Amino acid sequence: MTAKRAFDMVVGVVLLLALAPLIAGVALSVTLGGDGAVLRRRRIAGLNGRPFTMLTFRTRSPLAALPLLLHVAAGQMSLVGPCPLTPTHRECAGDGRRRLSVRPGLTGLWQISGRSDLPWEERELLDLHYVDHHWLGMDLAVLARTLPAVRRRRAARFA
């Protein structure tokens, strides 16, 4: 087991335990406030292209991503990695197939660099840069910059 995978597993489980009341609260809120299922399901290309069903809450907030911690603890995702894509996405073929050599991430260079404000090509380059140069120190730096990046975008939307 690599240091990155051990870090993902330990931090993923600790976050799941620490955030369990919040996760339960969001699940209850989604249940009471909407029609249909609490979780949204999406097929994602995982490590080496193996597909898995990614779960997120059916809400339009950063809290929608909380169930992704289950995938981190299970080894399907990493805390930091390339943006999760469907198996049929064009970036999962050709040169972009390199991105499948690592687990998709909850966050990554794409998240802290502008996320939806970035052109798709730039997001693709950031993912491939991560694949070619990732190491635990880079993951720690990305994690440290993720929450402030999410807060900035959220504040900008409400301003």
Side-chain angles (χ1 to χ4, degrees):
M1 179 180 298
T2 66
K4 176 179 171 49
R5 179 65 198 126
F7 177 79
D8 281 345
M9 212 159 57
V10 169
V11 173
V13 169
V14 167
L15 286 173
L16 269 173
L17 294 172
L19 297 174
L22 178 61
I23 293 169
V26 172
L28 180 62
S29 174
V30 172
T31 301
L32 296 175
D35 302 325
V38 172
L39 296 172
R40 178 175 288 125
R41 295 168 180 356
R42 187 172 145 213
R43 286 300 272 175
I44 295 298
L47 182 63
N48 298 319
R50 282 185 300 248
F52 68 94
T53 302
M54 184 175 81
L55 304 173
T56 56
F57 283 127
R58 295 181 69 81
T59 179
R60 292 185 179 199
S61 78
L63 300 176
L66 289 173
L68 297 180
L69 291 169
L70 293 167
H71 299 296
V72 172
Q76 296 167 316
M77 292 184 75
S78 179
L79 292 171
V80 179
C83 181
L85 297 175
T86 61
T88 58
H89 195 281
R90 67 173 176 82
E91 281 187 48
C92 293
D95 186 45
R97 186 147 178 83
R98 285 192 345 250
R99 71 188 333 279
L100 302 176
S101 66
V102 298
R103 291 173 178 84
L106 270 66
T107 188
L109 294 174
W110 49 274
Q111 174 80 305
I112 63 171
S113 300
R115 197 176 178 187
S116 58
D117 298 332
L118 292 176
W120 192 256
E121 296 77 22
E122 193 170 334
R123 218 184 302 184
E124 184 176 9
L125 289 173
L126 288 169
D127 279 349
L128 293 177
H129 176 80
Y130 178 83
V131 168
D132 294 339
H133 303 285
H134 72 281
W135 61 290
L136 187 56
M138 179 187 282
D139 284 11
L140 295 173
V142 168
L143 287 169
R145 292 179 53 196
T146 295
L147 192 55
V150 170
R151 282 185 182 155
R152 273 193 310 276
R153 276 192 299 284
R154 189 168 180 210
R157 268 188 263 144
F158 296 119

